[in-house]
C-alpha cells in the first residue's frame, strides 16, 4: 500500500495558523507562537513566510478561492428555495472554517490594504449572488418584490451573514468552541438570513418555507427560538 507523502512544512504552518487564529484571535497570535507550536525555529518559519501578514494573506487566498467557487451561480437553471437554503448552509460552514477573518475583520482591514480591497469585492459578489437568487424566485412567481426591495433584501442578507458569528460570540463567548453550540449557531444564522425573504414568498414556495422553518426550529434549543 502506497503511503501518502508527508505534508510540506508550508502547508502545516498554514493549517496550524488557521487553527490558532480561529481559536484565539489573529491579533493574539505571533509568529513566535506559531513557530513554537510547530516545534520549528523562527528562522525556519521565516524561510516560508516573511511575516504574519504573509501567513494571513496566504490563508485568505485559500478562502478566496473556496468562496469564489461557491459564489458561482450555475447557468441555465433558476434557483429554488431549497437551493437557497442549502447555499446558505454551505456558506455559513465556510465562514466558520475561516471565522477569524469575520471575527477580527475590522482590525485586519485597518492594517491590510490587500485584504480590504479583496474583502470588499467578496461582499459585492455576495450581494450580487443574493440578488440573483431572489430574482430567480421572483421569475418563477415564488417571490413578490420590486427592485428596491430585492436590493435591500440582498444587502441585508449579506450583512447578517457577515456579522452573524460575531453576534453569536457576544451572546455566549464561553461556548463559542463547543460543537453543538456552533451547530446551533449556524442553523440560527441560516434561518435568520432566509427569514428576510419569508414575507415576500408566495404560493407553494411560502408553504415550503414554513415547513422548512418549523423543522429547523424544532432542532434548536429554546434560546434559539426566541
Amino acid at each position: 500500500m502506497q503511503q501518502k507523502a508527508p505534508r510540506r512544512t508550508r502547508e502545516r504552518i498554514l493549517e496550524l495558523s488557521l487553527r490558532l487564529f480561529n481559536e484565539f484571535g489573529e491579533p493574539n497570535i505571533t509568529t513566535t507562537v506559531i513557530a513554537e507550536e510547530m516545534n520549528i525555529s523562527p528562522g525556519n518559519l521565516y524561510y516560508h513566510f516573511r511575516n504574519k501578514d504573509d501567513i494571513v494573506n496566504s490563508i485568505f487566498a485559500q478562502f478566496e478561492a473556496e468562496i469564489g467557487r461557491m459564489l458561482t451561480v450555475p447557468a441555465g437553471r433558476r434557483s429554488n428555495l431549497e437551493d437557497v437554503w442549502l447555499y446558505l448552509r454551505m456558506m455559513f460552514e465556510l465562514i466558520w472554517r475561516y471565522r477569524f477573518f469575520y471575527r477580527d475583520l475590522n482590525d485586519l482591514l485597518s492594517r491590510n490594504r490587500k485584504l480590504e480591497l479583496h474583502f470588499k469585492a467578496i461582499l459585492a459578489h455576495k450581494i450580487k449572488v443574493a440578488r440573483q437568487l431572489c430574482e430567480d424566485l421572483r421569475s418563477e412567481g415564488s417571490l413578490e418584490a420590486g427592485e428596491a426591495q430585492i436590493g435591500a433584501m440582498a444587502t441585508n442578507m449579506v450583512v447578517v451573514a457577515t456579522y452573524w458569528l460575531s453576534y453569536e460570540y457576544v451572546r455566549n463567548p464561553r461556548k463559542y468552541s463547543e460543537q453543538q453550540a456552533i451547530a446551533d449557531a449556524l442553523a440560527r444564522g441560516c434561518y435568520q438570513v432566509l427569514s428576510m425573504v419569508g414575507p415576500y414568498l408566495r404560493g407553494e414556495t411560502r408553504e415550503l418555507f414554513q415547513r422548512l422553518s418549523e423543522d429547523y426550529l424544532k432542532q434548536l434549543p429554546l434560546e434559539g427560538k426566541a
Side-chain angles (χ1 to χ4, degrees):
M1 188 179 204
Q2 187 176 6
Q3 291 185 339
K4 290 183 179 179
R7 286 172 301 157
R8 295 183 302 164
T9 301
R10 177 184 173 84
E11 294 169 350
R12 290 171 52 230
I13 291 171
L14 291 177
E15 185 180 284
L16 174 68
S17 299
L18 176 59
R19 179 172 64 80
L20 293 174
F21 293 160
N22 280 341
E23 289 184 10
F24 303 105
E26 182 273 340
N28 300 317
I29 299 298
T30 64
T31 52
T32 301
V33 170
I34 296 170
E36 289 176 351
E37 288 290 322
M38 281 284 298
N39 198 24
I40 61 175
S41 68
N44 195 350
L45 180 70
Y46 292 131
Y47 173 79
H48 297 280
F49 298 98
R50 296 186 305 276
N51 47 43
K52 190 172 76 167
D53 277 350
D54 195 13
I55 295 174
V56 170
N57 288 338
S58 296
I59 294 174
F60 184 79
Q62 295 176 351
F63 165 72
E64 193 171 29
E66 288 190 50
I67 203 166
R69 289 191 293 271
M70 187 173 292
L71 291 174
T72 302
V73 179
R77 186 176 76 85
R78 289 176 182 163
S79 301
N80 56 39
L81 186 66
E82 289 178 307
D83 292 330
V84 177
W85 197 280
L86 177 61
Y87 170 80
L88 285 172
R89 183 69 190 187
M90 292 170 61
M91 179 62 68
F92 270 102
E93 287 174 353
L94 180 63
I95 290 173
W96 174 251
R97 288 203 302 275
Y98 293 92
R99 59 192 174 277
F100 83 91
F101 284 124
Y102 289 82
R103 187 176 63 188
D104 305 324
L105 187 58
N106 292 351
D107 181 69
L108 284 166
L109 298 190
S110 69
R111 55 185 172 78
N112 191 317
R113 178 66 172 165
K114 179 179 179 181
L115 234 60
E116 177 191 346
L117 294 174
H118 284 242
F119 216 94
K120 281 182 180 178
I122 287 174
L123 289 183
H125 200 169
K126 282 183 178 180
I127 291 173
K128 180 181 177 181
V129 170
R131 176 187 282 272
Q132 182 63 57
L133 293 172
C134 290
E135 289 176 348
D136 284 352
L137 291 173
R138 183 175 64 177
S139 295
E140 65 174 20
S142 299
L143 182 142
E144 188 176 311
E147 288 299 316
Q149 290 171 315
I150 285 180
M153 246 190 295
T155 299
N156 290 341
M157 290 167 77
V158 172
V159 169
V160 172
T162 300
Y163 291 100
W164 184 257
L165 290 181
S166 294
Y167 167 74
E168 289 285 354
Y169 181 77
V170 172
R171 286 181 72 240
N172 207 336
R174 299 191 181 191
K175 289 189 176 181
Y176 196 68
S177 297
E178 293 182 10
Q179 189 82 16
Q180 188 57 51
I182 293 314
D184 294 341
L186 297 180
R188 280 194 296 270
C190 289
Y191 171 75
Q192 200 69 30
V193 171
L194 201 56
S195 67
M196 296 179 191
V197 182
Y200 299 94
L201 296 177
R202 299 293 180 265
E204 293 181 359
T205 301
R206 181 175 180 81
E207 293 174 5
L208 174 60
F209 169 74
Q210 290 173 337
R211 288 199 304 272
L212 289 171
S213 298
E214 289 171 3
D215 290 343
Y216 235 45
L217 290 173
K218 286 176 184 176
Q219 301 173 26
L220 299 181
L222 290 176
E223 63 171 344
K225 301 176 184 179

